[in-house]
Amino acid sequence: MREILIVGGGYAGFYTAWGLEKKLRRGEGRVTVVDPRPYMTYQPFLPEVLAGSVEARHAAVSLRRHLHRTRLVAGAVMEIRNNDRCVTVRPESGPDLVLRYDILVVTAGAVTRTFPIPGLSEEAFGLKHVEEAVAIRDRLLTSFDRASGLPRGPEREKLLTVTFVGGGFSGVEGFGELLALATASLKHYPEIDAEELRFHLVEARGRILPEVTDRPGEWVVRSLEKRGGTVHLNTQLVSAEKSHVVLSNGEEFDSGLIVWAAGNASNPVVHNRTDLPVDERGLLIVRPDLRVGTPAQAVPDVWAAGDDAAVPDLAADTPGALTVPNAQHAVRQGKRMARNILASLRGRPAKNYVHRSLGVVATLGLGRGIFQYHHLVIKGFPAWLMHRGYHVLAVPTWERKARVLAVWCTAALYGRDIVSLASVQRPREAFVTHGEPRHEERAADAPTP
């Protein structure tokens, strides 16, 4: 029985474990997945979670529900020592665990890249996990509720100002979807006028959406600005202290909601706490067949894929190109890796990972999108339909597809739900504040003898 240890339960890790479960023979190997979260986040749905178009739980795929023959360990990997064939895992509670393996799969996933900007860690939300998307949506709707009861002035203006930092797919899709939600919600808030909304998208480069060419990117900027957004190109966030945004172009304003979506960084475990070979960016050096190692020599029985792996892109025209760290590649790398591990267990040669891009598609809000495949560009409603069609097919399991489709059909009939559940982040507050009187209160209310 070979011990197969998978570090990370994201796209690549989930699909590797899923594929191994289906094909491993009895006694051939046992699979263990280590991840701090009990689910895989389908990140392309996070912008729609922001807008209330997809329920939060429907963007999360339960590992236990779908990996029936896999051992699941809830915890964070703190160190990988391949020379000793073991990893150190820190669970939510209790002492650290040391897990040993015969075959190691590293799919730890990237983390949000941040910079030492004053106020950023105190004021901003990330946009990488379901919990963050739900919190951003609740913050916006709570701000609408508060602003509707205030007179016009600085506090009301702050509540109705939203700032996104980062013009990649995550930032632009989140910005577009949240802008669509805010605009659609105005009909329920007659106290708020459309011109009071202030939506700012800040990008350090001279263009947004680097995955598409210049002209489609320029069209996206015009589309967002036509809907009331403001796009700041060649601009950086200088400070966000006390929700006061300062930009490198000299502009300053208060913002009730700040979202940081300025790219990813290598997982610290892969970058700093492993004896496996990494490149100058902290990514694992991977061969075309997804084994860890240089072209000259592979590391025995160690595989990697996803955002933390420098996987050669054999379909690219540029020599030395690496696959783009996106869901399209991670899912297919996970499937190929499962087949290659099975082949190596059975004495067969592993095959190289080759995938030609299917194009890029992005949602820009309800009924708006953009798609590009080489020189073919589709904009507006058809691209939005293509985005929804592709991702409902791509999200794993028929159960998740059915749930997402049901929510979309309901929203088409009745619109999106605009209830804020921000208080769910403090579930005991009402009980503690309004429950049984505290001891000192009972003493004060006691009759005087």
Side-chain angles (χ1 to χ4, degrees):
M1 178 77 76
R2 307 294 297 279
E3 292 290 343
I4 304 171
L5 179 62
I6 300 176
V7 176
Y11 296 116
F14 174 81
Y15 277 95
T16 300
W18 211 19
L20 289 172
E21 268 201 2
K22 296 174 182 178
K23 299 296 184 180
L24 277 172
R25 299 165 184 159
R26 185 180 297 275
E28 192 171 27
R30 182 174 72 162
V31 181
T32 299
V33 173
V34 181
D35 197 283
R37 287 179 168 82
Y39 56 83
M40 182 204 85
T41 302
Y42 190 72
Q43 291 183 351
F45 276 157
L46 291 187
E48 298 213 42
V49 173
L50 273 184
S53 299
V54 170
E55 287 295 324
R57 284 183 174 84
H58 300 169
V61 179
S62 170
L63 299 181
R64 291 192 178 274
R65 183 180 181 119
H66 301 290
L67 299 178
H68 305 293
R69 296 166 51 203
T70 297
R71 177 190 177 199
L72 299 173
V73 178
V77 172
M78 305 306 294
E79 185 181 19
I80 299 173
R81 300 194 305 276
N82 188 58
N83 286 337
D84 299 327
R85 294 279 167 153
C86 67
V87 301
T88 302
V89 180
R90 180 158 297 168
E92 189 69 28
S93 59
D96 288 356
L97 309 174
V98 176
L99 301 181
R100 301 196 174 275
Y101 60 82
D102 298 303
I103 298 172
L104 177 66
V105 177
V106 183
T107 54
V111 297
T112 301
R113 179 183 61 186
T114 57
F115 299 99
I117 298 172
L120 179 64
S121 59
E122 293 83 10
E123 302 294 341
F125 292 88
L127 186 50
K128 196 169 183 63
H129 301 290
V130 173
E131 300 91 338
E132 294 170 322
V134 172
I136 291 168
R137 177 174 178 267
D138 285 342
R139 171 66 71 89
L140 177 77
L141 295 174
T142 300
S143 294
F144 267 53
D145 289 331
R146 292 177 57 194
S148 65
L150 292 175
R152 294 199 180 211
E155 183 60 25
R156 176 168 166 140
E157 185 175 326
K158 174 183 175 181
L159 289 170
L160 298 177
T161 300
V162 175
T163 305
F164 272 70
V165 183
F169 259 81
S170 179
V172 171
E173 288 189 312
F175 183 83
E177 287 285 353
L178 202 66
L179 177 58
L181 173 63
T183 304
S185 299
L186 287 173
K187 64 182 179 182
H188 303 291
Y189 292 88
E191 305 91 344
I192 301 174
D193 295 329
E195 61 269 18
E196 292 186 81
L197 297 181
R198 301 284 188 272
F199 271 70
H200 298 269
L201 176 61
V202 181
E203 170 52 45
R205 292 167 293 190
R207 50 165 300 177
I208 62 174
L209 294 179
E211 295 87 350
V212 304
T213 52
D214 290 343
R215 292 185 64 183
E218 293 168 358
W219 176 85
V220 172
V221 171
R222 293 194 301 271
S223 173
L224 294 174
E225 291 184 334
K226 185 177 179 180
R227 292 162 54 195
T230 302
V231 180
H232 306 267
L233 299 177
N234 297 309
T235 305
Q236 298 178 6
L237 177 66
V238 175
S239 174
E241 287 186 293
K242 297 181 180 179
S243 298
H244 183 71
V245 171
V246 180
L247 303 180
S248 60
N249 62 6
E251 294 189 47
E252 298 184 28
F253 49 85
D254 289 334
S255 182
L257 175 58
I258 302 172
V259 181
W260 180 266
N264 297 324
S266 175
N267 194 297
V269 174
V270 173
H271 195 180
N272 302 317
R273 298 195 290 273
T274 180
D275 54 3
L276 295 171
V278 297
D279 64 12
E280 65 280 358
R281 296 173 299 164
L283 301 177
L284 288 167
I285 300 174
V286 177
R287 294 156 60 101
D289 62 1
L290 303 178
R291 295 178 191 265
V292 172
T294 63
Q297 183 177 10
V299 178
D301 297 320
V302 180
W303 308 75
D307 292 352
D308 279 326
V311 180
D313 190 351
L314 301 184
D317 297 328
T318 307
L322 302 176
T323 58
V324 178
N326 60 20
Q328 189 176 141
H329 280 297
V331 168
R332 288 165 176 80
Q333 287 170 8
K335 294 178 179 180
R336 167 48 56 196
M337 191 154 53
R339 292 192 287 266
N340 281 355
I341 292 172
L342 288 166
S344 69
L345 285 172
R346 297 165 186 173
R348 300 197 303 267
K351 294 183 179 180
N352 289 341
Y353 171 75
V354 183
H355 171 66
R356 296 192 180 277
S357 174
L358 302 175
V360 293
V361 62
T363 175
L364 304 174
L366 193 63
R368 302 175 178 91
I370 187 166
F371 168 82
Q372 182 172 18
Y373 178 72
H374 297 304
H375 298 296
L376 173 64
V377 178
I378 300 175
K379 307 170 185 175
F381 187 73
W384 177 78
L385 284 179
M386 294 172 68
H387 177 275
R388 285 204 160 183
Y390 173 78
H391 285 300
V392 79
L393 290 174
V395 68
T397 80
W398 287 104
E399 172 256 344
R400 275 295 176 264
K401 299 179 199 296
R403 290 182 186 275
V404 170
L405 281 171
V407 173
W408 283 343
C409 291
T410 304
L413 291 173
Y414 302 107
R416 290 177 287 201
D417 200 324
I418 62 165
V419 174
S420 168
L421 294 177
S423 58
V424 78
Q425 300 167 39
R426 304 178 304 278
R428 297 185 66 253
E429 184 176 45
F431 172 75
V432 173
T433 304
H434 305 294
E436 183 179 353
R438 294 187 294 271
H439 174 73
E440 56 270 24
E441 292 176 343
R442 291 197 301 267
D445 292 340
T448 303

